[in-house]
Amino acid sequence: MSSFLKIFGWPTVLAILSLIGLVGALVGDGPWDWLSWLCLGFPLAVLGWVLKTRRS
Amino acid sequence: MKPGAVRAWSLVHKWTSLVCTLFLLMLCLTGLPLIFHREIDDALGHDKWKPANPSGPLMDYDQVLKAALERNPGHVPLFMSFDTDRPVVNVTSGPTPDAKETDMVFSPIDQTSGDPVPDVPGGGVMDFILQLHTDMFLGLPGMLFLGGMGVLFTASIVSGVVVYAPFMRRMKFGTVRRSRSSKLKWLDYHNVLGMVTVAWVLVVGLTGVINTLADPIFETWKTNQLAALTAPYKGEALPAKIASVQQAVDTARKAMPGMTVQFVAFPGGGFSTDHHMAVFLHGNTPLTKHIAEPALIDARTGALTAVEKMPWYVETLALSKPLHFGDYGGLPLKIIWAILDLITIVVLASGLYLWLGGRRKAVAVEP
């Protein structure tokens, strides 16, 4: 794995999902709101997971 | 990256952060209750108010305006806006058409009786928080100052992402070294929390900066776009008597079918010309409901002068509002907004802690 991906892989994925989530709810209601909640909620879930598992 | 470049970026990160952190902490703390402004208002009693004659006929807007102005003798109307969830029309008036914000009086009127709607008890606290968040009670200079802090904050985030890389060469994303020093632990928290929230915080920060430019943006619009409409009235004084507001709203509705009236700006204020009532209407899709466009009505005759398409910079401002407030995706989005805001507070506070504790030392014990 390249060093860029190793360092910025997760942050890039989370940033892209966040941006999709931010724009999603602006585009439509109903399913678009759900998309937005999922996309913005996912980074929080990943955060919870790494904080729980990656301790040293 | 060369060590010299890393050092330069660290300096940018350190100094931009130092200047803006305390203000950003204030913004995050005051922003937290503001996310739930509506819910808090409802809890305080906004919800409990009932119109005097729930099934009775509604007064027209001219009658409402008269009722509001009778309670504020000597005032001229500045704005009229409409609650969407109850028959309440809000009249903002002031001693002169170009009155300062501090001299304006906001009168919500029950459209079924003409009586004023009492203030929500405790609503003053939310107004205080909003004012602190918007301009720290300093008006336009305060707004622009906070906008400047937002620009520094953006620079601090970008430089923060750059200086993040050297710390993470030998660590998996999200590792927190908790068994060693407190400084290392908080450095790791600062890094992971900052990286998880980076996209959101950039969007909320930059849209916040755009919101601080609201006054100059509307001033530019008025000067550029509305100037052409006022040319025929050159040399004329402001109209002494204003045509019917109700008819102005009806005319605007007819000119822009399928749209919803948001507010009316009276002649001489910041959102209209000296000779027009500007009736602002917005669309009804999730996207277009944020973008209001005015129908300009001749204030003397009540005739339609023009329907204006908003320029890109006003539309950018309009879309910046929901993206900053987080009020466009129901309660779950607000809760996510609040969590991200709290995380940002931790990032700011841990950044401050790391600086106070001498960050250089922490860098030196990199694994």
Side-chain angles (χ1 to χ4, degrees), chain B residues 116-133:
Chain B
V117 178
D119 285 340
V120 177
V125 177
M126 289 306 280
D127 291 342
F128 178 87
I129 293 173
L130 177 63
Q131 205 66 39
L132 190 59
H133 187 89

Side-chain angles (χ1 to χ4, degrees), chain B residues 71-92:
Chain B
R71 293 177 183 278
N72 296 289
H75 273 201
V76 293
L78 305 172
F79 302 103
M80 178 182 274
S81 63
F82 312 92
D83 282 11
T84 49
D85 54 347
R86 52 186 200 168
V88 171
V89 175
N90 308 292
V91 176
T92 307

Side-chain angles (χ1 to χ4, degrees), chain B residues 9-350:
Chain B
W9 280 105
S10 312
L11 278 177
V12 173
H13 187 59
K14 178 166 134 188
W15 285 104
T16 51
S17 307
L18 274 180
V19 177
C20 74
T21 291
L22 288 181
F23 293 98
L24 260 298
L25 272 173
M26 179 278 283
L27 290 170
C28 286
L29 288 170
T30 51
L32 193 58
L34 290 173
I35 299 170
F36 302 104
H37 202 163
R38 177 158 275 244
E39 286 76 9
I40 292 171
D41 272 355
D42 282 350
L44 289 173
H46 173 95
D47 246 6
K48 292 189 192 81
W49 180 84
K50 294 275 176 290
N53 311 299
S55 52
L58 295 180
M59 297 163 73
D60 71 35
Y61 297 150
D62 296 310
Q63 292 169 314
V64 172
L65 184 61
K66 195 161 162 270
L69 291 179
E70 272 168 4
R71 293 177 183 278
N72 296 289
H75 273 201
V76 293
L78 305 172
F79 302 103
M80 178 182 274
S81 63
F82 312 92
D83 282 11
T84 49
D85 54 347
R86 52 186 200 168
V88 171
V89 175
N90 308 292
V91 176
T92 307
S93 60
T96 54
D98 57 353
K100 284 199 306 270
E101 212 176 314
T102 44
D103 295 330
M104 295 180 183
V105 175
F106 182 78
S107 319
I109 302 287
D110 180 349
Q111 213 186 342
T112 70
S113 66
D115 294 332
V117 178
D119 285 340
V120 177
V125 177
M126 289 306 280
D127 291 342
F128 178 87
I129 293 173
L130 177 63
Q131 205 66 39
L132 190 59
H133 187 89
T134 314
D135 64 8
M136 306 185 293
F137 299 92
L138 297 171
L140 182 61
M143 270 172 95
L144 296 176
F145 175 81
L146 289 178
M149 290 301 117
V151 172
L152 285 178
F153 184 48
T154 307
S156 137
I157 295 162
V158 172
S159 55
V161 171
V162 176
V163 297
Y164 168 79
F167 290 112
M168 299 305 292
R169 275 200 205 106
R170 286 176 219 86
M171 288 207 299
K172 275 191 188 163
F173 173 71
T175 308
V176 176
R177 293 163 290 178
R178 306 212 296 185
S179 48
R180 295 204 245 159
S181 71
S182 151
K183 233 174 276 162
L184 268 186
K185 181 176 80 177
W186 282 105
L187 172 67
D188 289 344
Y189 273 128
H190 184 79
N191 281 345
V192 65
L193 295 176
M195 287 314 273
V196 166
T197 52
V198 67
W200 176 83
V201 97
L202 273 178
V203 168
V204 174
L206 284 172
T207 51
V209 172
I210 295 170
N211 279 319
T212 66
L213 300 176
D215 283 6
I217 284 174
F218 274 105
E219 197 55 48
T220 308
W221 169 71
K222 223 185 121 170
T223 321
N224 292 345
Q225 204 106 347
L226 293 188
L229 299 178
T230 56
Y233 303 88
K234 210 168 176 224
E236 284 181 41
L238 258 69
K241 200 174 168 305
I242 294 170
S244 156
V245 190
Q246 181 68 49
Q247 277 173 28
V249 169
D250 293 342
T251 306
R253 278 202 183 112
K254 229 175 277 166
M256 300 159 88
M259 293 177 77
T260 304
V261 179
Q262 188 176 352
F263 71 99
V264 181
F266 288 90
F271 290 81
S272 189
T273 76
D274 286 354
H275 309 283
H276 293 94
M277 278 181 269
V279 183
F280 284 77
L281 299 92
H282 62 75
N284 292 313
T285 70
L287 196 59
T288 59
K289 77 174 172 209
H290 298 291
I291 300 173
E293 292 185 319
L296 288 126
I297 312 284
D298 187 303
R300 274 195 193 80
T301 66
L304 177 73
T305 303
V307 172
E308 285 291 310
K309 179 103 183 71
M310 280 301 192
W312 66 269
Y313 48 87
V314 175
E315 292 193 342
T316 305
L317 172 66
L319 288 177
S320 290
K321 286 179 191 290
L323 284 170
H324 188 72
F325 305 152
D327 60 352
Y328 60 105
L331 191 58
L333 191 68
K334 292 185 181 185
I335 292 169
I336 291 171
W337 229 253
I339 295 171
L340 290 165
D341 182 74
L342 287 169
I343 294 177
T344 306
I345 291 175
V346 176
V347 176
L348 290 165
S350 58

Side-chain angles (χ1 to χ4, degrees), chain A residues 6-8 10-11 14-15 18-19 22 25-29 33 36-37 40 43-44 46-47 50-51 54-56, chain B residues 161 164-165 169 172-179 189 193 195-196 199 203 286-287 323 328-329 332-333 336-337 343:
Chain A
K6 193 170 165 272
I7 295 170
F8 286 109
W10 267 116
L14 299 183
S18 299
L19 290 176
L22 283 164
L26 205 53
V27 175
D29 287 330
D33 283 340
S36 167
W37 302 334
L40 280 166
L44 296 176
V46 170
L47 176 67
V50 294
L51 288 186
R54 296 192 177 166
R55 297 174 185 180
S56 68
Chain B
V161 171
Y164 168 79
R169 275 200 205 106
K172 275 191 188 163
F173 173 71
T175 308
V176 176
R177 293 163 290 178
R178 306 212 296 185
S179 48
Y189 273 128
L193 295 176
M195 287 314 273
V196 166
V203 168
L287 196 59
L323 284 170
Y328 60 105
L333 191 68
I336 291 171
W337 229 253
I343 294 177

